[in-house]
């Protein structure tokens, strides 16, 4: 069974540009979560999607947005990039919406903003 | 509000020695607690979780943790460290009930020496 996949592995952008990160969940999983792992800030929850709907959002500005497609894959968009957006972005998926269901993490996309 | 404190950002043990990684949480509702491990350049892997029921939880790779409500702790232990255990370990808490975001501690980097 394939795990959570993320693309690209690395992404280099210039301040002010837009970045698009993609995530494919494990087959059968309907929930997708996004987390940011920034140096010095640790792991922070960004967004949670389930069945195409945004279910919960972390304390991030509106320039962080995303969506979930009918096939349950997801996209994270970061507009007007700032230097502090440089981080590892992790996507996770779970089978359902109950917290007891394990969140399986992908390898991440490392975003560097110069 | 929920929060997690991991005591000790770096822990060093000898191969074969006891591993003890400390985690204390704060939660106004019954918590769901998790330990994840992150190997270099990889995503997170769930070691174990506490949702309800038995307070001593056994996980993968010989790890276990005990939920102690009176001490608001969920420390991770392993009787005998292996070199392959060297990684970063994260404790996380969630409240469930539609708030499935994981709130992570700052992490503890475990080094294992021969």
């Amino acid at each position: 069974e394939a795990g959570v996949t993320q693309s690209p592995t690395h992404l280099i952008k210039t301040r002010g540009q837009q970045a698009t990160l993609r995530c494919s969940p494990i087959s059968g999983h309907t929930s997708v979560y996004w987390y940011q792992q920034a140096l010095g800030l640790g792991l922070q929850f960004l967004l949670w999607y389930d069945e195409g709907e945004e279910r919960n959002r972390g304390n991030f500005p509106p320039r962080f947005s995303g969506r979930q497609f009918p096939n349950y894959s997801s996209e994270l968009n970061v507009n007007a990039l700032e230097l502090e957006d440089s981080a590892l972005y992790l996507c996770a998926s779970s089978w359902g919406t109950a917290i007891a269901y394990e969140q399986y993490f992908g390898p991440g996309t490392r975003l560097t903003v110069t | 509000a929920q929060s997690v404190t991991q005591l000790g950002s770096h822990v060093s043990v000898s191969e074969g020695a006891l591993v003890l990684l400390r985690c204390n949480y704060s939660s106004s509702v019954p918590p769901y607690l998790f330990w994840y491990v992150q190997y270099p350049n990889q995503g997170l892997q769930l070691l174990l979780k506490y949702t309800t029921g038995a307070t001593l939880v056994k996980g993968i790779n010989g790890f276990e943790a005990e939920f102690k409500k009176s001490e608001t702790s969920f420390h991770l232990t392993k009787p005998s460290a292996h070199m392959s255990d060297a990684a970063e370990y994260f404790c996380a808490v969630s409240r469930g009930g539609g708030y499935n975001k994981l709130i992570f501690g700052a992490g503890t980097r475990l080094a294992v020496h021969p």
Side-chain angles (χ1 to χ4, degrees):
Chain A
E1 177 183 280
V4 176
T5 59
Q6 294 185 243
S7 63
T9 304
H10 294 89
L11 189 58
I12 300 174
K13 292 286 186 178
T14 302
R15 192 172 56 181
Q17 287 186 317
Q18 178 194 32
T20 298
L21 289 65
R22 296 179 176 83
C23 172
S24 291
I26 291 172
S27 178
H29 287 193
T30 61
S31 277
V32 170
Y33 306 80
W34 288 94
Y35 293 86
Q36 182 196 65
Q37 187 175 23
L39 205 61
L41 294 177
L43 278 152
Q44 296 185 77
F45 167 77
L46 260 169
L47 289 159
W48 170 28
Y49 292 95
D50 183 72
E51 296 286 359
E53 300 289 328
E54 183 180 299
R55 298 290 296 267
N56 200 359
R57 182 182 179 86
N59 188 25
F60 281 84
R63 59 190 185 83
F64 286 83
S65 64
R67 54 181 172 168
Q68 186 178 32
F69 300 98
N71 66 353
Y72 302 112
S73 67
S74 178
E75 196 173 85
L76 174 68
N77 294 294
V78 188
N79 294 319
L81 284 165
E82 300 180 2
L83 296 178
E84 52 264 35
D85 297 334
S86 294
L88 181 67
Y89 289 84
L90 293 168
C91 172
S93 72
S94 69
W95 186 80
T97 58
I99 188 56
Y101 293 121
E102 176 182 349
Q103 293 184 26
Y104 291 82
F105 282 78
T109 291
R110 184 161 298 281
L111 173 63
T112 302
V113 183
T114 62
Chain B
Q2 295 181 304
S3 65
V4 174
T5 302
Q6 291 184 240
L7 296 175
S9 58
H10 291 81
V11 170
S12 181
V13 300
S14 299
E15 192 173 20
L18 171 71
V19 175
L20 171 60
L21 304 182
R22 299 177 186 275
C23 172
N24 287 88
Y25 69 90
S26 172
S27 179
S28 58
V29 298
Y32 296 90
L33 295 159
F34 306 81
W35 274 100
Y36 281 86
V37 62
Q38 186 177 34
Y39 297 100
N41 300 314
Q42 294 186 28
L44 302 174
Q45 181 183 14
L46 181 68
L47 284 174
L48 49 80
K49 64 182 179 183
Y50 169 79
T51 53
T52 58
T55 56
L56 181 61
V57 181
K58 295 188 184 297
I60 62 171
N61 302 338
F63 285 94
E64 64 181 36
E66 186 171 9
F67 170 60
K68 292 187 176 181
K69 184 178 179 180
S70 61
E71 299 178 7
T72 61
S73 69
F74 192 56
H75 301 330
L76 182 71
T77 61
K78 182 174 180 178
S80 177
H82 295 158
M83 297 294 290
S84 60
D85 294 327
E88 189 150 23
Y89 292 79
F90 293 93
C91 181
V93 65
S94 179
R95 58 178 290 182
Y99 296 86
N100 282 14
K101 63 179 181 181
L102 293 171
I103 297 168
F104 288 91
T108 297
R109 187 166 298 277
L110 176 67
V112 182
H113 300 287

